[in-house]
Amino acid sequence: MSAPSNPEGVTGRLVTWIHDLTWDDVPAAVRARAAHLLLDGLGCALVGAQLPWSRLATEAVLGVEGGGDAVVIGTGRTTTPSGAALLNSTYIQGFELDDFHPLAPLHSASLLVPSLLATASHTGQPVSGRDLLLAAIVGFEVGPRIGTSIGGTTMLSRGWHSGPVFGVSSAAAACAKLRGLDPAQTEDALGFAATQSAGLMSAQYEAMGKRMQHGFAARNGFYSAALAAVGYTGIDQVYEREYGGYVAVYGEGHPTDPEAIVRGLGEHWETTMAMVKSWAVMGGLHGAVQAAQALRARLGGRPIERTIERVDIRVGDVVYHHGWWPPHRPLEAIGGQMNIGYATAVTLLDGTALPEQFTAARLDADDVWHLLDRTHVTLDRSIDELPLTERFQTHLTLTFADGSTDTETVISPHGNPFDPITDDEVVAKFRSLADRVMEPERAAAIVDAVHGLEGAASIAPLVELLAGPVARALD
């Protein structure tokens, strides 16, 4: 076994922990949460596989990659491992329903499920359920720590699509673990990952490509570990290098914390911090949806579009810069899912923000735009001085035709680490998504397979359940 280039450095300590981590080192609650995060990602993939933009991506990628043995979830088709990693991630990200980390924003399941399945296909070796789960836990732990080292949520305010910036390291670390790479090889894999990190948040306005940017990260993480496995060397000590190192470059001009990459490894578990979404909108908008639901309930059935004269939303820097711009009619689905004005308006009217709220017809509906034209969003910088867990808070005020007002404040929406979506709620969400696109018996079998991963000698039965085509969720 080869040691890292500098065992005492940040990168060296990280890769040693990745290599040394065993199943018994992980608390049972963390293992269970990891399995449910994977289940949540699979539900998102199944509902995302046959969305209109996903079908375009499928034809494009399969046209380039051609055939292979790796399963493309929910399509009945196969391709190369790298092509499958790209597409399966794109499906998980396909409708803004997948998990995210609230303090170092990335969508971990969209990185880990695709890259690990691609790795299993590429190696051709039997992979047990424990193998898969332990590698996934490595990814859940590494990604947020890398993100925290360069500012976490501030990356969004600076215009980076933070998930692809942090996410290649997450996928590479997980794939290195699944391949059984030694510390030196894992260092090479992370060196490749860090140099491939990129993503622009301007993709959120209208680009289908926003759905695929985590996919590039998943594919690149898969490739990083594959290269390292054959002895192709990457950048050593990549996180702490002063010139051209990951933290130095991405954190330039801003506070950084390289030690965050290894602080608390094996003691504080980031896996339990991941937020499972309840609605099909960007994570920072969950407070707005929850506030709109509460105000709608208090309206008592009054005709909303004729009752509300003004909508005022007050949020902090992260939500404001990531989630507000004056929308123009009609919005694309991705724009609606990222825009706090649209998410609030459609929830006030419909009571929820799920796939049906982002069809072409709903995105261009007169009642929605009646409210959007009356919506005002204010940046409150005092929120940015609060503890990190409160920086996604939302204050929503409605002004009515008679001049009266009603306000709802959500400090931390349901799903946050201190009020998490329960495992039972994750299963219920999976069924609500999967039952839209497949027979209930197949959906139940997938739940059982994921719940049984800890004792499964092989993940092949689960992969087989994922492989068959599913129905179209929107059209």
Side-chain angles (χ1 to χ4, degrees):
M1 183 178 74
S2 298
S5 61
N6 177 13
E8 301 306 315
V10 167
T11 306
R13 283 179 282 160
L14 176 65
V15 299
T16 299
W17 179 83
I18 292 169
H19 175 268
D20 292 349
L21 185 71
T22 69
W23 181 256
D24 291 337
D25 292 331
V26 183
V30 177
R31 301 174 197 162
R33 193 57 172 175
H36 284 89
L37 290 172
L38 295 182
L39 179 67
D40 186 63
L42 294 176
C44 295
L46 291 164
V47 82
Q50 297 291 347
L51 295 169
W53 41 89
S54 296
R55 296 196 298 272
L56 290 175
T58 302
E59 295 309 313
V61 173
L62 294 187
V64 171
E65 296 285 330
D69 297 326
V71 163
V72 183
I73 294 172
T75 66
R77 305 170 77 172
T78 57
T79 187
T80 63
S82 60
L86 180 58
L87 284 174
N88 290 334
S89 176
T90 301
Y91 301 163
I92 295 174
Q93 268 272 278
F95 222 98
E96 286 296 323
L97 280 159
D98 53 324
D99 72 278
F100 81 104
H101 194 286
L103 307 183
L106 80 168
H107 303 275
S108 294
S110 73
L111 300 160
L112 302 176
V113 170
S115 62
L116 291 172
L117 293 183
T119 297
S121 176
H122 181 244
T123 64
Q125 300 299 313
V127 173
S128 72
R130 284 193 180 188
D131 294 336
L132 183 75
L133 281 172
L134 187 60
I137 289 165
V138 165
F140 285 126
E141 293 302 309
V142 168
R145 286 180 163 84
I146 301 296
T148 299
S149 74
I150 56 174
T153 57
T154 64
M155 293 295 284
L156 289 172
S157 299
R158 294 167 58 194
W160 289 104
H161 190 177
S162 54
V165 175
F166 314 157
V168 191
S169 293
S170 177
C175 292
K177 185 65 173 178
L178 191 63
R179 288 179 180 272
L181 301 190
D182 67 24
Q185 292 171 311
T186 302
E187 182 175 17
D188 287 328
L190 292 177
F192 285 124
T195 199
Q196 296 179 88
S197 300
L200 298 176
M201 206 58 251
S202 56
Q204 72 178 26
Y205 298 114
E206 70 285 308
M208 293 179 185
K210 195 271 179 187
R211 320 278 189 186
M212 190 176 279
Q213 290 182 174
H214 277 72
F216 292 132
R219 181 200 62 186
N220 293 347
F222 157 76
Y223 253 118
S224 295
L227 287 164
V230 300
Y232 198 80
T233 59
I235 301 170
D236 286 341
Q237 302 166 53
V238 70
Y239 297 114
E240 65 262 39
R241 292 272 192 180
E242 291 186 8
Y243 173 71
Y246 180 90
V247 174
V249 170
Y250 281 106
E252 185 176 11
H254 297 267
T256 60
D257 184 10
E259 283 293 320
I261 295 174
V262 292
R263 187 181 300 123
L265 279 171
E267 299 172 0
H268 169 78
W269 296 91
E270 296 291 342
T271 303
T272 63
M273 297 289 288
M275 181 171 172
V276 175
K277 290 185 179 181
S278 299
W279 302 290
V281 297
M282 180 262 286
L285 308 188
H286 274 53
V289 172
Q290 194 168 315
Q293 288 180 324
L295 289 170
R296 185 179 192 271
R298 296 205 288 266
L299 281 170
R302 286 185 285 169
I304 289 173
E305 65 272 24
R306 295 199 301 273
T307 302
I308 298 172
E309 287 294 318
R310 182 181 172 103
V311 178
D312 285 286
I313 308 169
R314 180 165 54 87
V315 291
D317 181 79
V318 174
V319 178
Y320 185 84
H321 282 103
H322 188 19
W324 177 243
W325 66 95
H328 299 288
R329 188 176 188 178
L331 279 170
E332 296 292 333
I334 186 64
Q337 291 173 306
M338 308 301 287
N339 187 280
I340 194 169
Y342 181 86
T344 301
V346 80
T347 303
L348 286 168
L349 291 162
D350 296 355
T352 192
L354 288 171
E356 293 77 11
Q357 278 64 55
F358 300 95
T359 63
R362 199 72 188 109
L363 286 159
D364 196 34
D366 289 340
D367 59 345
V368 176
W369 286 88
H370 176 89
L371 288 184
L372 268 174
D373 290 341
R374 289 156 176 76
T375 296
H376 306 267
V377 182
T378 302
L379 170 61
D380 183 350
R381 293 198 176 276
S382 69
I383 293 174
D384 304 317
E385 304 302 319
L386 297 171
L388 289 172
T389 53
E390 298 181 16
R391 293 186 189 176
F392 283 89
Q393 67 179 257
T394 302
H395 306 266
L396 175 58
T397 298
L398 304 182
T399 301
F400 303 107
D402 63 3
S404 65
T405 64
D406 194 4
T407 297
E408 180 70 15
T409 292
V410 175
I411 300 299
S412 296
H414 182 47
N416 77 82
F418 303 102
D419 179 25
I421 300 293
T422 67
D423 290 346
D424 287 343
E425 287 177 300
V426 174
V427 173
K429 175 187 171 183
F430 174 87
R431 291 303 303 264
S432 74
L433 296 177
D435 287 354
R436 298 167 185 256
V437 297
M438 64 171 60
E439 61 278 8
E441 294 78 12
R442 180 179 168 194
I446 293 171
V447 173
D448 290 342
V450 173
H451 280 161
L453 276 176
E454 182 171 340
S458 171
I459 63 170
L462 172 60
V463 174
E464 185 176 352
L465 285 167
L466 300 172
V470 296
R472 298 180 176 186
L474 284 186
D475 57 347

